[in-house]
RNA sequence: GCGGGCGUGGUGGAAUGGUAGACACACCAGACUUAAAAUCUGGAGGGGGUAUCCCCGUGCGGGUUCGAGUCCCGCCGCCCGCACCA
């Protein structure tokens, strides 16, 4: 019997067209079925999809198709994160308009995504660079401004001298711009900010409720928000006349160590430092030096603690008559706490280093458990663990926690300058989100600056503020700013000459609400709240770990801000979050050290050792490490080529099969070929089943024999397990289950020919179920098989097969028999056989009798239907 | 330094405290073929006896348990994130 080979090149485009024509994946909000929203992070339209996209969208598509089969009304949309720097870079390099470049890329990538056979509702497609999208963003900006969620302030910003733009703190990595890699400078600019720090506590505490998020992501967000509780403490200056101040405020989380204080340190950026430096050239030079070190030094941890001793001293707040010197120190940050600290060298390593350098007292005030108060001293390691307080007046004998409370109460009750000397305070590391970008290719900030009336929002009737197309990129900086006419407008209030804001919004704003826009992508308001509230939160969001902090935190904030402005009715946008691993590939280098792409290398196995040869010149090539696919290492394969050679299904199947989705997966040619072979195996099984049925056409079907029943059981088990595995996103296990079922079906196909009357129905049923199981993963092959089997309609519309619980249980169980915990044999018994009966049977087994060698067992552990352990 | 994760055959990886290595990739042998491809059958953690058995084995050392890859304690190694945050 010969069956024609399955041809994905023919079948895949055909089914994609069928789904399109049937509007199979178009979703209606009115549909009464239970809604399910699955979303993958939308791509930046760089021009071509990469393997990371293939993985991301395959994972999401399996979930979407599975939930559809389970009877849910599934929303599975796709769009484009279309603003951003690369479009401007392309404009500069190739003279293309950023909009033209971006829209071309979208067209190309959409075709690629379509060829993957994704079950996407393309009628909901959005691109953030279109006025239809960003006009709503502008209108929400105005709403949020009016609601007090946005503020404008002068602030020191991270300036990227190569990209000529401001960067958010999150976009500065090791003091360098995240895109350009250039050393970031500090500049003072007036910027727009989302007041995300107002939500710090809520964004932190709500993390506890996000139980369907990876622990890792939640931890990263917790650290990023960086909550610390402590005391704001005021130190009176002995003589502050020179500086025009009477006290210095510090923030501390260790008020319990106040008796161990030996100095005060100010940040180089502290206002008091600035005042002092004005009349002090030496200090001024020290401050300048700190600034040079600031961002340039990568090895901050090795940076020396340095300080400048000012003329100031403060009174010790708890020890009468004692004073502390005031330093300016390079390690004190202005933008955390109050920009000033007190140093307790005995119990803080940094303070200790500083104290040793400047010969300041090191007075221990925390005694380790079992320590001797008379002799305990700190040498080169600060003591930071638990203990009891000593050398500390009214705090003596307390634990650290008790002493913190006691100190806080003590200082809260004392007045200095008519105010409490100490105040309990919570500090967060999270800063406000600066959204201004000095860039053309982004959503214009809808603001007008009038000399007379000030800074005004653009009236909503005048929205959108549309980006002009006629821009040039012949000089660096913001092309919008260079535009001859665009920024000149009349003031909406007084009608006089005014100027548009030429800054555009950070692209993270665009991606902070697109998931909500998908629920009503054509509405003339940002959202239709009733519709958005029906769909949101996203049931399953899938994307890369690289967005664990920025995008997810901003989206969580934006959802709250949209709630505050009446656009949404919920706080958390993503109920389930999943972060996928990377796609990696082997790397290859030529003899002379050039990176070689997989296509440039040929392999052979000599004496069991895999060897590579550079095809171009026949010279040996080096097989290197397995690394994330990257352009620079040339270790990638273009998904387009894979799709053309093997088809979408083979690519999808392989990327699902090889590794758990949260781990990295190594892309191998052999692996895709294996997936391709498996497709043919399924196709042959279907052909064989049809053939057997045809030959048995006249036979009267009888009821199942044992063989048929066993087959049915393995089918039910597979349906049950695969469903559970997909729900748990354990796709690699689902794949393994499907392989097992396929093996069982192929085996039994041979047996069915022997007794078709009693076995054929079980086989036919089993093959049909198998096709439904593979449908979420290999949808085109599944449709082709479904059609060949003569089934009605599309498998994409078929309901997930029901599982008969009775078919999941067996009548007999195989119980392993252990002797002292080591497996020595097994026994097949009826399920539920009483322990006494099992014991009798076990002890009468020849092998057990032999091994017991006449000894009586001390104990026999029997776990019903599981295991027997004989202890001697 | 702080936080999170991981460590199982040649490889990717399976295993509610209960038969370690499912399933796949790669490999080897055989069948079919003039041959190759495709396909089918079989083999395989390591070591020894080399049918039918025994010993060892989940990074290392302890512990709990009838029983530990899994739980606890102490190490080692790798990966990721954050990091002068007071």
């Amino acid at each position: 019997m010969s069956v024609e080979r399955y041809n994905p090149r023919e079948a895949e485009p055909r089914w994609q067209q069928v789904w399109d024509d049937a509007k199979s994946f178009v979703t209606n909000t009115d549909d009464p079925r239970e809604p399910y929203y699955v979303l993958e992070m939308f791509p930046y339209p760089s021009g071509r999809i990469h393997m990371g996209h293939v993985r991301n969208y395959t994972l999401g598509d399996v979930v979407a198709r599975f939930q559809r089969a389970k009877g849910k009304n599934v929303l599975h949309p796709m769009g484009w994160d279309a603003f951003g720097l690369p479009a401007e870079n392309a404009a500069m390099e190739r003279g293309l308009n950023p909009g033209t470049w971006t829209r071309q890329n979208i067209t190309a990538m959409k075709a690629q995504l379509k060829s993957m056979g994704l079950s996407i509702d393309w009628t909901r497609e959005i691109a953030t660079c279109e006025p239809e999208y960003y006009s709503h963003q502008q209108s929400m900006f105005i709403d949020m401004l009016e609601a007090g969620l946005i503020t404008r302030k002068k602030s020191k910003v991270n300036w990227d001298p190569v990209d000529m733009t401001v960067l958010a703190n999150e976009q500065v990595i090791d003091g360098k711009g995240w895109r350009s890699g250039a050393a970031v400078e500090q500049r003072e600019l007036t910027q727009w900010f989302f007041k995300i720090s107002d939500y710090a506590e809520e964004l932190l505490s709500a993390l506890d409720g996000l139980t369907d998020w990876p622990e890792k992501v939640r931890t990263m967000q917790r650290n990023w928000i960086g909550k610390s509780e402590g005391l704001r403490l005021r130190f009176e200056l002995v003589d502050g006349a020179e500086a025009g101040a009477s006290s210095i405020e510090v923030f501390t989380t260790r008020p319990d160590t106040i008796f161990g204080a030996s100095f005060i340190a100010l940040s180089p950026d502290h206002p008091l430092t600035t005042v002092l430096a004005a009349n002090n050239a030496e200090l001024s030079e020290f401050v300048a030096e700190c600034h040079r070190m600031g961002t340039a030094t990568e090895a901050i941890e090795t940076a020396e603690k340095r300080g400048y001793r000012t003329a100031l001293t403060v009174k010790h707040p708890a020890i009468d008559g004692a004073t502390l010197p005031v330093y300016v120190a390079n390690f004190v940050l202005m933008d955390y706490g109050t920009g000033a600290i007190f140093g307790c060298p005995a119990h803080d390593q940094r303070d200790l280093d500083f104290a040793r350098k400047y010969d300041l007292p090191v007075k221990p005030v925390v005694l380790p458990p079992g320590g001797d108060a008379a002799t305990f001293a700190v040498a080169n390691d600060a003591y930071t663990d638990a203990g009891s307080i000593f050398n500390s007046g009214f705090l003596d004998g307390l634990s650290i926690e008790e002493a913190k409370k006691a100190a806080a109460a003590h200082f809260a009750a004392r007045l200095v300058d008519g105010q409490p000397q100490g105040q309990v305070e919570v500090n967060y590391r999270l800063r406000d989100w600066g959204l201004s970008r000095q860039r053309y290719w982004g959503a214009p900030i809808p603001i007008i600056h009038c000399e007379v009336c000030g800074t005004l929002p653009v009236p909503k009737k005048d929205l959108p503020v549309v980006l002009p197309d006629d821009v040039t990129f012949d000089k660096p900086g913001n092309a919008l700013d260079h535009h001859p006419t665009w920024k000149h407008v009349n003031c909406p209030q007084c009608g006089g000459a005014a100027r548009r804001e030429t800054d555009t919004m950070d692209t993270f704003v665009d991606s902070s609400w697109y998931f909500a826009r998908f629920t009503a992508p054509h509405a003339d308001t940002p959202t239709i709240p009733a519709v958005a509230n029906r769909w949101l939160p996203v049931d399953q969001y899938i994307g890369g770990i690289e967005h664990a902090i920025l995008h997810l935190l901003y989206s969580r904030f934006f959802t709250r801000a949209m709630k505050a402005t009446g656009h949404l009715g919920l706080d958390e946008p993503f109920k389930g979050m999943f972060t996928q691993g990377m796609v990696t590939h082997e790397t290859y280098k030529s003899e002379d050290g050039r990176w070689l792409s997989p296509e440039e290398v040929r392999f052979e196995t000599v004496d069991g050792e895999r060897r590579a040869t550079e095809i171009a010149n026949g010279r040996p090539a080096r097989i290197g490490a397995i690394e994330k696919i990257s352009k620079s290492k040339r270790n990638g394969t273009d998904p387009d080529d894979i799709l053309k050679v093997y088809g979408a299904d083979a690519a999808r199947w392989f990327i699902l099969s090889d590794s758990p989705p949260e781990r990295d997966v190594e892309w191998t040619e052999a692996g895709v070929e294996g997936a391709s072979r498996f497709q043919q195996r399924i196709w042959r099984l279907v052909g064989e089943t049809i053939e057997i049925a045809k030959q048995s056409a006249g036979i009267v079907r009888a009821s199942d024999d044992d063989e048929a029943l066993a087959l049915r059981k393995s089918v039910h088990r597979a349906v049950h397990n695969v469903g559970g595995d997909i729900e748990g996103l354990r796709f690699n296990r689902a794949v393994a289950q499907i392989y097992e079922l396929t093996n069982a079906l192929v085996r039994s196909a041979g047996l069915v020919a022997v007794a078709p009357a009693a076995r054929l129905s079980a086989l036919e049923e089993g093959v049909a179920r198998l096709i439904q199981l593979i449908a979420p993963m290999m949808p085109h092959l599944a449709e082709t098989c479904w059609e060949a089997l003569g089934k009605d309609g599309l498998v994409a519309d078929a309901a997930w097969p029901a599982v008969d619980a009775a078919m999941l249980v067996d009548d007999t169980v195989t119980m392993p028999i252990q002797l002292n915990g080591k497996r020595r044999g097994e026994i097949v018994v009826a399920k539920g056989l009483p322990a006494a009966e099992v014991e009798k049977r076990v002890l009468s087994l020849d092998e057990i009798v032999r091994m017991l060698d006449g000894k009586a067992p001390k104990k026999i552990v029997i776990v019903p239907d599981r295991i027997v352990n004989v202890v001697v």
Side-chain angles (χ1 to χ4, degrees):
Chain A
M1 179 187 65
S2 81
V3 185
E4 216 175 299
R5 286 175 65 79
Y6 172 66
N7 180 2
R9 274 180 298 274
E10 178 277 322
E12 293 188 352
R14 180 160 58 88
W15 290 113
Q16 286 156 20
Q17 191 63 52
V18 169
W19 295 324
D20 250 7
D21 294 344
K23 296 186 168 47
S24 294
F25 308 121
V26 176
T27 306
N28 293 311
T29 303
D30 303 335
D31 193 306
R33 291 173 301 172
E34 189 187 339
Y36 188 94
Y37 189 175
V38 55
L39 184 68
E40 304 96 51
M41 290 180 181
F42 67 164
Y44 177 79
S46 58
R48 310 199 61 74
I49 61 169
H50 53 68
M51 280 301 175
H53 291 127
V54 173
R55 192 176 201 194
N56 195 184
Y57 301 133
T58 299
L59 296 174
D61 199 47
V62 174
V63 173
R65 287 177 178 270
F66 173 73
Q67 292 294 345
R68 263 174 59 79
K70 293 288 274 186
K72 303 271 178 65
N73 183 30
V74 172
L75 176 58
H76 187 212
M78 181 60 72
W80 309 96
D81 189 12
F83 275 135
L85 277 182
E88 290 190 36
N89 294 338
M92 282 182 268
E93 284 158 24
R94 285 170 247 184
L96 270 173
N97 177 281
T100 310
W101 182 83
T102 302
R103 291 183 190 101
Q104 280 173 1
N105 287 348
I106 287 175
T107 305
M109 287 176 75
K110 187 174 174 183
Q112 288 186 299
L113 290 184
K114 284 204 154 193
S115 73
M116 282 181 64
L118 304 173
S119 62
I120 281 169
D121 181 355
W122 285 103
T123 68
R124 292 173 185 264
E125 181 180 3
I126 54 182
T128 58
C129 66
E130 303 300 344
E132 291 74 40
Y133 183 81
Y134 68 71
S135 62
H136 300 293
Q137 195 164 303
Q138 291 173 336
S139 107
M140 285 196 292
F141 177 93
I142 293 165
D143 294 343
M144 290 175 189
L145 183 65
E146 281 164 3
L149 293 161
I150 295 176
T151 184
R152 189 161 181 256
K153 55 188 176 188
K154 237 191 169 177
S155 84
K156 206 164 263 188
V157 294
N158 304 304
W159 179 259
D160 186 319
V162 168
D163 281 342
M164 304 276 285
T165 191
V166 168
L167 299 174
N169 285 341
E170 297 89 314
Q171 293 167 341
V172 180
I173 294 148
D174 293 334
K176 296 190 169 128
W178 70 320
R179 293 205 87 101
S180 70
V184 168
E185 301 166 3
Q186 303 294 309
R187 282 200 184 183
E188 282 254 306
L189 283 180
T190 306
Q191 304 276 304
W192 292 98
F193 287 85
F194 285 114
K195 290 162 80 175
I196 188 172
S197 60
D198 286 0
Y199 285 78
E201 181 57 42
E202 211 201 311
L203 289 168
L204 179 70
S205 59
L207 284 171
D208 294 337
L210 297 175
T211 49
D212 293 342
W213 281 40
E215 192 51 52
K216 181 179 183 172
V217 174
R218 294 200 286 167
T219 305
M220 283 165 76
Q221 293 216 350
R222 273 189 203 104
N223 292 342
W224 191 260
I225 295 168
K227 179 180 184 173
S228 60
E229 294 173 72
L231 195 68
R232 184 186 275 255
L233 188 58
R234 192 182 300 270
F235 287 75
E236 281 177 275
L237 281 163
V238 172
D239 178 11
E242 185 207 350
S246 60
S247 65
I248 295 173
E249 278 192 300
V250 306
F251 175 72
T252 179
T253 55
R254 295 294 303 273
D256 54 305
T257 64
I258 186 64
F259 283 87
S262 56
F263 65 95
I264 295 286
L266 303 173
S267 163
D269 299 317
H270 195 281
L272 197 53
T273 307
T274 311
V275 172
L276 294 173
N279 307 315
N280 184 336
E282 221 181 330
L283 175 56
S284 179
E285 175 49 32
F286 176 77
V287 169
E289 219 171 292
C290 293
H291 285 159
R292 280 197 293 276
M293 298 250 310
T295 51
T297 315
E298 283 141 56
I300 280 172
E301 62 183 281
T302 60
E304 207 181 348
K305 307 286 176 271
R306 296 186 52 204
Y308 178 86
R309 169 87 190 253
T310 70
L312 301 177
T313 51
V314 297
K315 292 182 193 167
H316 193 292
I319 304 175
D320 277 345
T323 61
L324 304 173
V326 176
Y327 284 78
V328 174
N330 64 343
F331 62 90
V332 181
L333 306 173
M334 189 57 223
D335 63 354
Y336 188 80
T338 62
I341 62 161
F342 82 75
C344 175
H347 304 292
D348 182 290
Q349 191 59 45
R350 209 180 26 198
D351 296 347
L352 182 61
D353 295 345
F354 191 83
R356 290 297 183 217
K357 182 159 171 130
Y358 295 102
D359 250 344
L360 296 162
V362 178
K363 174 186 170 191
V365 291
V366 180
L367 188 64
D372 180 353
T375 58
F376 178 67
V378 164
N380 291 320
D381 294 309
Y383 182 75
T384 55
D385 292 334
S388 62
I389 305 296
F390 72 127
N391 290 342
S392 294
F394 68 94
L395 298 175
D396 275 353
L398 300 178
S399 73
I400 290 176
E401 281 314 308
E402 290 162 350
K404 281 182 182 177
K405 288 199 185 99
H410 174 81
F411 291 118
R414 278 184 62 172
L415 294 185
V416 171
D417 295 348
Q419 290 179 60
Q421 181 165 28
Q423 218 175 333
V424 173
E425 189 175 86
V426 177
N427 258 298
Y428 299 91
R429 213 178 67 99
L430 182 68
R431 305 264 78 91
D432 278 338
W433 171 14
L435 68 111
S436 301
R437 295 290 179 274
Q438 290 64 49
R439 279 281 151 188
Y440 161 75
W441 192 235
I445 295 174
I447 289 291
I448 291 170
H449 301 282
C450 173
E451 296 276 342
V452 181
C453 307
T455 298
L456 302 166
V458 173
K460 283 208 177 171
K461 65 175 171 53
D462 295 339
L463 292 181
V465 177
V466 179
L467 278 179
D469 281 333
D470 51 339
V471 279
T472 54
F473 292 90
D474 41 10
K475 41 187 166 181
N478 185 354
L480 260 192
D481 211 29
H482 303 149
H483 193 278
T485 58
W486 187 79
K487 65 182 168 189
H488 302 299
V489 288
N490 293 328
C491 171
Q493 199 161 295
C494 70
R499 179 178 61 80
R500 271 193 201 288
E501 171 82 53
T502 57
D503 285 356
T504 54
M505 296 188 209
D506 180 6
T507 55
F508 277 109
V509 182
D510 311 338
S511 55
S512 290
W513 71 286
Y514 77 108
F515 48 86
R517 183 68 186 165
F518 273 137
T519 63
H522 311 298
D524 50 17
T525 48
T527 62
I528 300 172
V531 172
N533 294 342
R534 177 164 165 79
W535 285 111
L536 291 171
V538 173
D539 292 276
Q540 185 64 63
Y541 195 35
I542 306 175
I545 187 76
E546 67 274 19
H547 292 114
I549 297 175
L550 305 187
H551 164 58
L552 292 176
L553 191 61
Y554 289 159
S555 297
R556 295 180 61 222
F557 161 74
F558 218 83
T559 301
R560 288 167 168 82
M562 285 173 76
K563 185 184 179 192
T565 49
H567 296 290
L568 283 179
L570 74 164
D571 292 321
E572 286 295 338
F574 310 121
K575 180 176 178 294
M577 174 68 220
F578 187 84
T579 50
Q580 66 185 72
M582 296 183 300
V583 183
T584 62
H585 196 288
E586 253 179 354
T587 52
Y588 312 104
K589 268 190 176 177
S590 67
E591 257 184 337
D592 52 344
R594 283 169 295 117
W595 292 107
L596 298 173
S597 79
E599 287 80 27
E600 294 171 318
V601 189
R602 147 166 61 80
F603 301 96
E604 63 211 321
T605 305
V606 182
D607 300 330
E609 192 194 340
R610 212 162 131 262
R611 292 191 186 165
T613 308
E614 185 175 354
I615 295 169
N617 54 22
R619 292 178 176 278
R622 203 141 36 87
I623 299 178
I626 295 159
E627 300 195 55
K628 178 179 182 177
I629 290 180
S630 74
K631 270 188 195 146
S632 60
K633 294 189 175 140
R634 307 194 66 219
N635 60 336
T637 312
D638 192 325
D640 247 9
D641 298 339
I642 309 267
L643 294 178
K644 276 184 191 116
V645 176
Y646 300 99
D649 284 344
R652 291 168 59 124
W653 183 256
F654 170 64
I655 213 154
L656 290 166
S657 68
D658 222 41
S659 295
E662 69 277 12
R663 286 199 216 167
D664 292 351
V665 63
E666 187 196 349
W667 187 272
T668 64
E669 316 310 313
V672 200
E673 272 163 32
S676 201
R677 277 199 299 275
F678 180 62
Q679 281 194 314
Q680 300 300 341
R681 188 167 152 87
I682 291 210
W683 182 239
R684 281 195 308 275
L685 171 64
V686 167
E688 205 176 336
T689 304
I690 295 168
E691 188 65 24
I692 296 169
K694 210 185 286 173
Q695 283 165 10
S696 316
I699 290 176
V700 178
R701 307 264 176 128
S703 52
D704 287 353
D705 63 6
D706 285 353
E707 183 64 38
L709 188 66
L711 185 62
R712 283 193 204 275
K713 282 190 169 181
S714 41
V715 171
H716 279 269
R717 196 174 305 280
V719 172
H720 177 75
N721 291 343
V722 169
D725 285 338
I726 293 180
E727 251 161 284
L729 307 178
R730 298 179 295 263
F731 302 113
N732 58 318
R733 289 210 328 203
V735 163
Q737 297 281 351
I738 290 174
Y739 273 118
E740 269 181 272
L741 176 62
T742 307
N743 290 342
L745 287 167
V746 167
R747 245 190 326 271
S748 70
L751 300 173
V752 168
V754 178
R759 296 176 184 174
L760 180 57
S761 316
L763 176 68
E764 285 180 326
E765 155 115 10
V767 170
R769 296 298 157 260
L770 171 68
I771 299 312
Q772 287 184 271
L773 295 189
I774 65 165
M777 305 170 189
M778 297 196 284
H780 311 88
L781 173 67
E783 293 290 4
T784 310
C785 294
W786 196 249
E787 182 184 48
L789 289 168
K791 300 288 180 186
D792 286 338
L794 297 170
V795 72
D797 293 327
W800 192 252
V803 175
D804 180 354
M807 297 294 271
L808 297 179
V809 292
D810 282 316
D811 305 339
T812 61
V813 287
T814 303
M815 295 175 75
I817 301 167
Q818 297 180 331
L819 194 70
N820 292 332
K822 284 185 184 177
R823 185 181 178 281
R824 284 296 130 100
E826 61 184 35
I827 182 172
V828 179
V829 299
K831 202 175 174 81
L833 191 71
E837 192 63 25
V838 173
E839 181 174 333
K840 218 166 90 187
R841 299 264 296 274
V842 166
L843 291 178
S844 65
L845 284 175
D846 289 348
E847 61 216 89
I848 297 301
V849 171
R850 178 169 58 78
M851 278 183 282
L852 281 177
D853 196 20
K855 283 176 288 204
K858 268 192 219 139
K859 186 174 178 184
I860 298 177
V861 180
I862 296 171
V863 183
D865 297 339
R866 291 229 77 135
I867 201 163
V868 180
N869 192 8
V870 181
V871 186
V872 290

